[in-house]
Amino acid sequence: QVQVVQSGGGLAAAGGSLRLSCIVSGLTFDAYAMAWARQGPGKEREVISCIDWSGSQTFYTDSVKGRFTISRDNTKNTLILQMRSLKPGDTAMYYCAADEDYCSGSWKYWGQGTQVTVSS
């Protein structure tokens, strides 16, 4: 049984930083690409960052490029999203996702979500 368990997030002031973590079990972690997605109030869920199985290839949507960093530790089955220079527009529910294909647009496994709220 695959489990994707998220932690981190919470409340931050604009300009601040937060860190999200995701621990995956029940699959061969280093055989999977990973991603972070978010869903803001009244918006559809969108993938904001992807990382391939080795960590050598990454993608960021324009809205977070230069501010967010995705990384993974395959020895700990862990995915990280370091968020800096946060803006109120980053307020959303954030999700971790896993799939065999890198940034394919379709993700097989999802975390439970964690709320990030950025105050102005």
Side-chain angles (χ1 to χ4, degrees), residues 6-12 18-20 36 38-41 83 88 90-95 112-118:
Q6 299 179 217
S7 60
L11 178 64
L18 286 172
R19 176 182 164 108
L20 305 181
W36 288 101
R38 70 185 183 186
Q39 186 168 15
M83 303 183 290
D90 295 319
T91 295
M93 186 71 78
Y94 283 70
Y95 298 90
Q112 80 277 17
T114 187
Q115 180 67 38
V116 170
T117 302
V118 183

Side-chain angles (χ1 to χ4, degrees), residues 35-38 45-50 59 61 97 103 105 107 110:
W36 288 101
R38 70 185 183 186
R45 186 162 58 184
E46 63 165 338
V47 171
I48 59 170
S49 184
C50 308
F59 160 83
T61 194
C103 248
W107 297 89
W110 290 89

Side-chain angles (χ1 to χ4, degrees), residues 19 80 87 92 97 112 119:
R19 176 182 164 108
I80 300 292
K87 305 175 181 179
Q112 80 277 17
S119 62

Side-chain angles (χ1 to χ4, degrees), residues 47-115:
V47 171
I48 59 170
S49 184
C50 308
I51 188 167
D52 73 349
W53 68 272
S54 69
S56 63
Q57 193 172 1
T58 59
F59 160 83
Y60 298 94
T61 194
D62 286 346
S63 61
V64 306
K65 196 175 297 182
R67 300 187 298 121
F68 291 10
T69 302
I70 190 171
S71 62
R72 64 189 296 160
D73 184 343
N74 288 344
T75 68
K76 298 179 180 178
N77 286 16
T78 298
L79 178 73
I80 300 292
L81 184 68
Q82 181 66 52
M83 303 183 290
R84 298 181 176 87
S85 301
L86 284 164
K87 305 175 181 179
D90 295 319
T91 295
M93 186 71 78
Y94 283 70
Y95 298 90
C96 171
D99 195 82
E100 292 97 334
D101 295 329
Y102 169 70
C103 248
S104 66
S106 175
W107 297 89
K108 184 174 292 185
Y109 302 108
W110 290 89
Q112 80 277 17
T114 187
Q115 180 67 38

